[in-house]
Amino acid sequence: MKIIDGKNISNLIKEEIKVEVDQIISNGERPPHLAAVLVGEDGASLTYVASKVRSCQQVGFNSTLVKLPVDILEKELLKKIQELNNDDNIDGFIVQLPLPDHIDEEKILLAINPNKDVDGFHPTNFGKMALNMKTFIPATPFGIMELLKRYDIETKGKYTVVIGRSHIVGRPISILMNSKGNPGDSTVTVVHSRTKNIENYTKNADIIISALGIPGFVKNEMVKDGVVVIDVGITRVKDSNHPKGYVIRGDVDFDSVKQKASYITPVPGGVGPMTIAMLLKNTLLSRSLLKNY
Ligand code: GUN
């Protein structure tokens, strides 16, 4: 069994990005600039966005954090998005999800200029991804593909089961895994909360990608020997013994499943750090590749 070290790979990717940024700066150009919009004070979102901003500094990007009150009106948020769309000093930006209930998420995502949509959530970019065209791939699925590539894990002709059908992870990774390419060329089943007897699918899977958000859901008896397990779950579970008052748990019962797995991602330190690295990669891409829509 091999542990897939997302922390290490994400650091390598950040070093590679830093080399490119240094080159950009030595050419007399301004460094890439990523902005993040955060509405409200949700603890997990604050942590993620702070980490995104910190990573920008590590690789030499400019970054802007736009913090807005939880009760901001939808039209005010839309105005802010137009400002970011029109700001030539910003290469890409994200609006951290989830948004408060009074804001229509779909309307917000549609307002983002696809050229600057480094999350890859705009329908234009999602459609391009589904058609195997060059575009921004959502950062978490992009990170999973990069891990599979860098660990040289065979996906061609394999049976992949994706657990979860979210727009951010399950749906896009299922498309990428069965698209032409390497990684890719896999036969994919997506199972979800309404699927009966999920274990009937997971037991046959060569690769399991779980993005469900239920800690410890995938158990030893649900997988076969030699399975590759990618755990996207990052749920905060209350733990009064921990100084923060919680611990982070994945979807996979790691200690039991690792006995059967050929490769497995830990939580934390697996897919999580890759998400930020690939967001930076998309921001770098937004300067060069995608100015020709
Ligand atoms: N919330 C959880 N994951 C993500 C992500 O990748 N991007 C944004 N914008 N919000 C998220």
Side-chain angles (χ1 to χ4, degrees):
M1 184 272 303
K2 263 195 177 161
I3 292 190
I4 297 177
D5 188 345
K7 184 92 198 131
N8 179 42
I9 301 288
S10 71
N11 283 333
L12 285 175
I13 292 168
K14 284 194 219 166
E15 280 166 26
E16 292 163 12
I17 293 172
K18 174 108 183 41
V19 169
E20 289 197 48
V21 174
D22 290 345
Q23 188 62 49
I24 288 169
I25 293 170
S26 70
N27 288 344
E29 297 171 40
R30 73 154 171 79
H33 188 164
L34 173 69
V37 179
L38 176 64
V39 180
E41 302 276 340
D42 175 70
S45 292
L46 272 167
T47 308
Y48 298 146
V49 171
S51 185
K52 287 170 186 177
V53 169
R54 223 176 17 251
S55 296
C56 282
Q57 286 155 3
Q58 279 174 9
V59 299
F61 281 15
N62 292 335
S63 63
T64 298
L65 172 56
V66 181
K67 267 183 101 175
L68 300 170
V70 69
D71 58 354
I72 189 169
L73 294 176
E74 187 178 272
K75 67 172 187 212
E76 292 299 321
L77 179 56
L78 287 168
K79 214 165 99 191
K80 190 74 221 174
I81 288 172
Q82 285 316 326
E83 273 176 37
L84 295 167
N85 281 341
N86 295 331
D87 186 341
D88 289 340
N89 283 315
I90 289 176
D91 299 296
F93 66 96
I94 63 146
V95 177
Q96 187 66 26
L97 304 177
L99 289 166
D101 288 345
H102 69 280
I103 293 175
D104 182 347
E105 191 172 293
E106 200 174 298
K107 225 184 207 173
I108 300 303
L109 296 181
L110 276 168
I112 298 173
N113 177 348
N115 283 336
K116 293 192 173 188
D117 169 39
V118 283
D119 257 333
F121 293 168
H122 190 285
T124 294
N125 290 325
F126 201 95
K128 286 188 168 192
M129 179 203 65
L131 295 168
N132 233 354
M133 295 162 74
K134 227 177 190 62
T135 188
F136 300 115
I137 307 291
T140 303
F142 197 8
I144 295 168
M145 298 297 273
E146 195 66 24
L147 285 177
L148 293 169
K149 191 193 281 180
R150 295 210 184 208
Y151 275 83
D152 210 13
I153 293 170
E154 182 67 88
T155 58
K156 182 171 60 182
K158 300 292 181 187
Y159 180 45
T160 295
V161 171
V162 174
I163 310 178
R165 55 181 162 176
S166 72
H167 294 175
I168 295 182
V169 187
R171 186 74 50 85
I173 194 65
S174 69
I175 292 169
L176 293 167
M177 287 297 283
N178 82 358
S179 294
K180 272 194 177 144
N182 180 27
D185 285 329
S186 194
T187 303
V188 178
T189 298
V190 181
V191 301
H192 48 77
S193 54
R194 305 297 161 113
T195 303
K196 292 182 180 136
N197 303 319
I198 284 180
E199 66 279 9
N200 289 350
Y201 302 91
T202 55
K203 267 183 197 163
N204 292 314
D206 302 306
I207 302 168
I208 296 175
I209 301 173
S210 187
L212 195 62
I214 300 179
F217 179 83
V218 179
K219 301 202 162 46
N220 179 286
E221 57 274 19
M222 292 169 67
V223 309
K224 71 174 184 184
D225 276 327
V227 65
V228 174
V229 181
I230 308 290
D231 188 350
V232 191
I234 33 167
T235 308
R236 289 182 173 196
V237 177
K238 276 202 176 86
D239 185 341
S240 52
N241 292 327
H242 199 273
K244 283 186 175 163
Y246 65 86
V247 287
I248 302 287
R249 289 264 177 267
D251 286 355
V252 176
D253 182 14
F254 184 85
D255 288 334
S256 73
V257 172
K258 75 172 186 206
Q259 294 164 14
K260 284 186 173 170
S262 56
Y263 291 88
I264 187 166
T265 61
V267 176
V271 174
M274 291 299 291
T275 297
I276 294 181
M278 302 321 277
L279 177 66
L280 299 176
K281 190 128 186 153
N282 274 343
T283 308
L284 199 56
L285 270 178
S286 74
R287 289 171 60 93
S288 50
L289 281 180
L290 295 167
K291 295 298 181 196
N292 52 354
Y293 270 81

